[in-house]
Amino acid sequence: GAAADIGTRLASALPQGFASAAQLTARDPAPPLDAAELQKAINDALAKTPLLFEGPDATLSDSATPALDALAALLPRGRGAHFEIIGYVGGPGIEEVNRGLAKQRARAVIDRLTAFGVDPANLAPVGVAGQAQGGAAIEVVAK
């Protein structure tokens, strides 16, 4: 999924009259991780590149692609693990509306991870009205 996304973005960013040929290959699968190692790797990946959204809706920012790519590589390493993708929306507003937006953001992350090849059966969206610890908009928890 990431290779197709990169190829499409590269082609659309070139000036008129230019062409591109991108050749991307996948790495060999990494060994499985136990639950603690996996959660630490997920937290580290999101700390380096947080998942950000464009404005006050559920549209992921282009800057989210590296974090999504890292998650798409990590999540399958938790053989048999299920993951909660938790969206947080804090601040003023109606709690029910904030919770709904938070869940929409979690679903947007799931949609992108699914496009990158992650099995959607292992992903559950959760919306929380309130700020996550550390101010993150999205948290991924291995269950």
Side-chain angles (χ1 to χ4, degrees), residues 15-116:
Q16 188 172 2
F18 285 80
S20 67
Q23 293 182 333
L24 301 170
T25 58
R27 290 185 264 173
D28 290 330
L33 294 173
D34 69 30
E37 292 172 320
L38 181 59
Q39 190 64 60
K40 181 181 180 331
I42 290 168
N43 293 346
D44 289 348
L46 291 175
K48 288 178 189 169
T49 311
L51 293 171
L52 302 175
F53 294 86
E54 297 287 337
D57 62 12
T59 303
L60 279 159
S61 166
D62 288 343
S63 67
T65 300
L68 292 165
D69 193 37
L71 289 173
L74 282 170
L75 299 186
R77 294 180 68 187
R79 307 274 194 264
H82 294 275
F83 302 92
E84 286 185 346
I85 311 300
I86 306 169
Y88 293 91
V89 174
I94 301 168
E95 185 174 333
E96 192 67 28
V97 172
N98 286 350
R99 188 178 308 112
L101 174 57
K103 192 166 187 176
Q104 287 176 352
R105 288 180 170 188
R107 285 185 198 274
V109 171
I110 288 173
D111 290 346
R112 289 286 294 276
L113 289 173
T114 299
F116 284 3

